[in-house]
Amino acid sequence: MDLEPIWLSLRLALLTTILLLFIGIPIAYRLSRKQNLFKIIIEALITMPLVLPPSVLGFYLLLAFSPNNALGNWLRETFDLQLVFSFKGLVFASILYSLPFMISPIKTAFAHLPRSIAEASYTMGKSRLRTFFAVLLPNIKSSVFTAAVLTFAHTLGEFGVVLMIGGNIPGETKVASIAIYDSVETMDYASANNYAFILFSITFVIVVGVFIFNRSAVKNPFE
């Protein structure tokens, strides 16, 4: 069995999760503050991947970033960047597709933090930035961990978006979910089972880890 699709899936999931931590936490914090129409629209757009079929999102990304269209052609000529049928395109698509899995738990956690925590920090002379990193984030660490794990697991099992924008290029865009599909298409059920079992095992360990971590955090909320 070729393990390259497994390693490619793990690499994609890890890179997507790391990038979304940097992107998602600030967005989640802003969305958790006082709501207005603009924020509602932004949150609706972020949530769309949860309700849209993956093939729909993948199709529009394929159209947008195709070198035959204005945006794709501009990216290629200006930055020598091709997102269609490339690993970079998989990362970009995965960020968009997994965005709600990162933002939703963190936004909810921020919204449920008592405002008195931040206000007490301000009265002690701490800046907003210092308060954010030293006071607010440590108080929602379990939610950040859960969001990161959900994002990783969700990206690990992507199929529709990956297939549409990345295709099936060995060593470049052929992730484990695509390998399973290929194996089933060729009636190689043994290989399909091997890939599926590895993904199942990784995901199961991740989910158990989340439950253990959250249980520990509940017992020791200030550690």
Side-chain angles (χ1 to χ4, degrees), residues 1-212:
M1 184 183 71
D2 182 14
L3 290 177
E4 181 64 31
I6 298 294
W7 295 121
L8 193 62
S9 291
L10 291 172
R11 180 183 166 203
L12 175 64
L14 181 60
L15 187 56
T16 299
T17 302
I18 292 173
L19 291 174
L20 274 178
L21 280 171
F22 286 99
I23 296 170
I25 291 176
I27 295 176
Y29 176 72
R30 293 299 302 172
L31 291 177
S32 70
R33 302 299 93 183
K34 187 176 179 180
Q35 288 288 310
N36 54 45
L37 181 59
F38 176 74
K39 288 184 179 180
I40 291 174
I41 293 174
I42 294 298
E43 191 168 0
L45 289 173
I46 290 172
T47 307
M48 285 300 289
L50 292 177
V51 295
L52 272 178
S55 55
V56 173
L57 179 60
F59 172 71
Y60 283 118
L61 289 176
L62 179 63
L63 286 183
F65 297 120
S66 171
N68 296 324
N69 290 329
L71 178 58
N73 187 56
W74 178 77
L75 288 173
R76 186 178 62 178
E77 292 186 352
T78 306
F79 302 103
D80 192 25
L81 179 64
Q82 180 173 320
L83 295 180
V84 175
F85 306 127
S86 69
F87 183 76
K88 293 176 183 177
L90 293 190
V91 173
F92 184 83
S94 296
I95 287 174
L96 291 182
Y97 190 49
S98 295
L99 197 60
F101 291 87
M102 178 66 73
I103 288 181
S104 183
I106 299 176
K107 180 215 165 195
T108 301
F110 274 131
H112 283 85
L113 278 180
R115 293 191 178 274
S116 57
I117 295 178
E119 291 169 358
S121 179
Y122 299 149
T123 59
M124 294 175 65
K126 297 184 184 295
S127 65
R128 289 186 177 273
L129 192 62
R130 175 72 174 168
T131 297
F132 180 80
F133 284 105
V135 178
L136 299 183
L137 269 183
N139 275 280
I140 63 164
K141 63 180 182 180
S142 62
S143 296
V144 172
F145 177 77
T146 299
V149 170
L150 286 175
T151 299
F152 184 91
H154 180 252
T155 305
L156 196 64
E158 283 182 23
F159 175 74
V161 172
V162 167
L163 182 62
M164 292 295 290
I165 196 169
N168 185 0
I169 304 173
E172 181 73 18
T173 63
K174 186 178 180 180
V175 295
S177 58
I178 303 297
I180 294 172
Y181 177 79
D182 277 354
S183 297
V184 172
E185 283 284 289
T186 58
M187 301 186 71
D188 184 2
Y189 295 128
S191 293
N193 178 65
N194 289 335
Y195 286 122
F197 180 75
I198 291 174
L199 287 185
F200 175 85
S201 300
I202 293 173
T203 305
F204 180 76
V205 170
I206 287 173
V207 171
V208 171
V210 170
F211 283 127
I212 292 174

